[in-house]
Amino acid sequence: MAPEIIKYNGEEEYTEKVDCFSFGMFLYELITLHLPYQGQEQVKDLILEGTRPQLQPQDTVYPTHILDLTTLCWSQHPFERPSASQIVSIATAPEFCHLQDVVSLEEQTTVTCAAAVEVQEEEESGLPPALLAEIWLGRHGNQVDIVTCNQQAWLDYKTLPLDGISVSAVCVVEDTVWLGDSLGRVHVFCTKTYQMLQRFVVSMESVAVESSIRCMMYLPDLQATLIVQNNHQVTLCDGVTRDVLLSSELNNRPVYCIAALRLGRKRLSYEMWMGQDKGSILSVSVSKQEMKVLGITAHLQEAADGIQADVQHLVTSYQDNQSIWSYVYPGCIVYHWDIRQLTIQNKIDCSKLAPVSESITSISIEEHICPGRCQVTALTVLEQNLYIGTTWGCVIVAEKNSMRPITVFRPYKEEVRSILPVRVNDPEFPTNDSPPKRKTPPAIVTVGKGYRDLIGRYAPKSGTSDDAETSEKNVFLLTWQASHWSSH
């Protein structure tokens, strides 16, 4: 029973805000499987005093918006509670059941690169291990942030100061993390002790700004890491000894991104797709013995001189090893390639998609949905879904093969910097012919600037200007359940 009904003995006008209070208590029952105030006396007095049922630690594993809506609905004053229509809008939004937790980083400097390190936990009593991951974030300002999460919440946050190191790329190599910097050096850190194990220069040429490391990828079958630099140099380094195995400038054009496909049954070589300028993709066979150019595939039939068309994102999925997804900057389109036929099978235009979980006051379609705000800043594939981040802070979830959009929402005020799939006992390149069975549900982590709270879009909360400024400028990490998107 709502406080205003108890206080005025039922003589106060009965409004929908009374039902809203009851709905909050219903959510509490749904979460805890207990009656509110169970075993307590003088319940009416407790309600009038503002005392609410307590949530135990095991109850807080539910998605954050469910818990937030529960406490908002049982607010003491009716005007602080959402309306029935607002509750419906919040509860039917895709974020409502998928967003697990939110964390704000202390520094407001830009995130330059990110990678997820899986942490193996010992199984207890025969139960499957909980998802546990560390997110390594390279930041402007000579530092790396390491944020730990499980499937329900963010757990720990630490910073590694890096004197004189401007991190430009990060890569997980077995039980180490390789940090590439703007001077063409790689710094190898232990994932357990966070100590630097080794530092080496990739290019044999003189260290210069032009040799900045753009991207790196570990190839487990070769036990080697492919490193791409801004000076057009592509290098294969041994993952254990860190010795340079191969180095080449290939076709002497810049490489912006890379994706890997296995070749042959023995899997002793990879076909690397490398995004370049003029909308072209360079295909290269990579083994420990040689790097051999296989050909060039273009998004455009003719690349006009002076027109920028850089292939800035390439991703693939180990499940079929036959598809690659690409993005050409500037633009709003993501392409799905069939690698056997070297043809584009499907595509999705991000400028045609608007976020669904918005109120009339939180969005202006005419003002904000434009090609400049719909360029792609992050791209990843997990299981059957493709995840796309945009400059406007939107996350698009689409079926990976048909490219049919499933849902679109906007959790960030500014661009999505990174989308990381988090896998447990499910490596990107499994060593057996059949992929291993997943022990835990899939999850993704998104990184972006300026968090947009779902409930705040429909039922604005009271807060200080300092809180608003923090929400605008800080970098936020969000962890999501990555399944059953089509149900919203």
Side-chain angles (χ1 to χ4, degrees):
M1 188 179 297
E4 61 269 24
I5 299 299
I6 298 174
K7 183 176 181 179
Y8 298 104
N9 198 26
E11 296 179 0
E12 180 75 5
E13 182 182 358
Y14 191 102
T15 68
E16 68 172 359
K17 297 302 183 76
V18 175
D19 292 330
C20 173
F21 186 89
S22 299
F23 183 71
M25 292 298 173
F26 164 74
L27 288 177
Y28 172 83
E29 288 188 49
L30 195 64
I31 292 170
T32 65
L33 302 180
H34 291 96
L35 293 174
Y37 304 104
Q38 186 172 346
Q40 294 179 281
E41 298 179 355
Q42 305 298 328
V43 172
K44 290 184 179 180
D45 292 339
L46 293 175
I47 293 176
L48 287 174
E49 293 169 0
T51 302
R52 297 294 180 262
Q54 291 186 347
L55 291 170
Q56 301 301 318
Q58 65 268 21
D59 302 325
T60 61
V61 301
Y62 290 91
T64 182
H65 288 316
I66 296 179
L67 303 176
D68 291 343
L69 183 60
T70 300
T71 58
L72 187 64
C73 284
W74 65 31
S75 296
Q76 189 74 4
H77 302 291
F79 66 85
E80 294 177 340
R81 305 172 203 152
S83 65
S85 62
Q86 288 172 334
I87 291 175
V88 171
S89 298
I90 292 168
T92 55
E95 300 104 303
F96 185 68
C97 289
H98 286 88
L99 180 60
Q100 282 295 140
D101 200 13
V102 181
V103 65
S104 172
L105 301 185
E106 296 175 359
E107 299 291 336
Q108 297 177 354
T109 53
T110 302
V111 173
T112 58
C113 52
V117 178
E118 296 167 17
V119 180
Q120 298 294 333
E121 285 192 314
E122 295 182 1
E123 299 186 17
E124 297 180 2
S125 304
L127 297 175
L131 183 153
L132 195 63
E134 289 183 340
I135 309 302
W136 287 58
L137 302 166
R139 309 285 298 276
H140 277 310
N142 301 333
Q143 73 178 50
V144 168
D145 290 340
I146 303 173
V147 193
T148 306
C149 69
N150 61 19
Q151 200 161 4
Q152 290 81 34
W154 295 101
L155 305 175
D156 190 27
Y157 176 23
K158 60 177 68 70
T159 296
L160 293 181
L162 304 174
D163 294 336
I165 302 174
S166 179
V167 180
S168 57
V170 59
C171 179
V172 181
V173 180
E174 299 295 341
D175 58 352
T176 64
V177 172
W178 291 22
L179 304 178
D181 70 11
S182 58
L183 298 177
R185 302 172 299 182
V186 172
H187 312 263
V188 181
F189 283 80
C190 176
T191 58
K192 297 180 180 179
T193 65
Y194 309 111
Q195 298 296 315
M196 185 186 295
L197 303 178
Q198 186 179 354
R199 173 188 297 172
F200 62 93
V201 177
V202 176
S203 176
M204 298 303 176
E205 302 174 358
S206 59
V207 176
V209 175
E210 290 74 15
S211 65
S212 172
I213 294 176
R214 182 178 290 273
C215 56
M216 299 184 288
M217 177 175 287
Y218 180 56
L219 307 176
D221 287 346
L222 303 182
Q223 292 187 321
T225 303
L226 196 69
I227 302 174
V228 176
Q229 296 176 263
N230 282 349
N231 60 0
H232 307 172
Q233 200 76 19
V234 179
T235 305
L236 188 68
C237 288
D238 190 287
V240 179
T241 65
R242 289 103 191 187
D243 294 333
V244 174
L245 302 176
L246 300 167
S247 186
S248 172
E249 292 187 0
L250 299 176
N251 62 351
N252 199 29
R253 287 169 57 185
V255 175
Y256 300 109
C257 58
I258 53 179
L261 297 161
R262 279 189 161 123
L263 290 178
R265 292 184 177 181
K266 293 184 179 181
R267 294 178 171 176
L268 297 178
S269 63
Y270 289 83
E271 179 179 342
M272 303 298 302
W273 279 37
M274 303 183 179
Q276 298 192 308
D277 56 359
K278 299 182 180 180
S280 62
I281 299 174
L282 180 67
S283 178
V284 180
S285 173
V286 177
S287 67
K288 282 193 172 183
Q289 288 72 41
E290 65 173 352
M291 282 190 286
K292 180 181 179 182
V293 175
L294 301 177
I296 296 180
T297 304
H299 289 79
L300 310 173
Q301 292 183 352
E302 294 183 3
D305 293 335
I307 296 180
Q308 185 178 13
D310 301 335
V311 181
Q312 291 196 352
H313 293 281
L314 287 170
V315 295
T316 187
S317 170
Y318 76 82
Q319 290 179 312
D320 53 26
N321 203 45
Q322 297 174 353
S323 298
I324 278 184
W325 292 262
S326 65
Y327 165 71
V328 180
Y329 174 85
C332 307
I333 299 176
V334 176
Y335 302 89
H336 172 215
W337 291 81
D338 184 326
I339 65 168
R340 294 172 299 181
Q341 302 178 12
L342 297 180
T343 57
I344 296 174
Q345 297 296 300
N346 293 293
K347 57 185 178 181
I348 185 172
D349 188 345
C350 300
S351 67
K352 306 297 184 183
L353 305 174
V356 296
S357 49
E358 299 291 339
S359 67
I360 295 176
T361 59
S362 69
I363 187 173
S364 172
I365 299 296
E366 293 79 7
E367 179 182 355
H368 297 298
I369 299 296
C370 61
R373 289 181 174 266
C374 300
Q375 296 179 23
V376 174
T377 54
L379 192 65
T380 196
V381 174
L382 181 59
E383 295 195 337
Q384 300 305 313
N385 294 331
L386 175 71
Y387 297 88
I388 305 169
T390 72
T391 48
W392 192 31
C394 287
V395 175
I396 300 169
V397 185
E399 292 181 352
K400 68 175 185 179
N401 292 324
S402 68
M403 303 289 279
R404 180 185 70 85
I406 299 173
T407 189
V408 185
F409 48 94
R410 185 174 171 237
Y412 294 105
K413 296 179 183 295
E414 299 184 21
E415 69 177 32
V416 181
R417 291 294 301 171
S418 185
I419 303 178
L420 302 172
V422 179
R423 306 175 177 92
V424 172
N425 296 327
D426 190 3
E428 184 174 1
F429 298 106
T431 54
N432 300 322
D433 290 337
S434 58
K437 293 183 179 180
R438 183 184 298 280
K439 290 187 177 183
T440 57
I444 61 169
V445 169
T446 58
V447 183
K449 198 169 187 179
Y451 172 58
R452 301 179 69 245
D453 176 50
L454 170 65
I455 294 178
R457 293 175 226 161
Y458 294 96
K461 304 175 184 177
S462 59
T464 65
S465 58
D466 292 340
D467 293 336
E469 185 177 354
T470 298
S471 180
E472 287 276 354
K473 296 183 178 181
N474 279 16
V475 174
F476 287 83
L477 273 67
L478 313 180
T479 179
W480 307 82
Q481 293 181 11
S483 58
H484 306 297
W485 290 103
S486 58
S487 60
H488 289 269

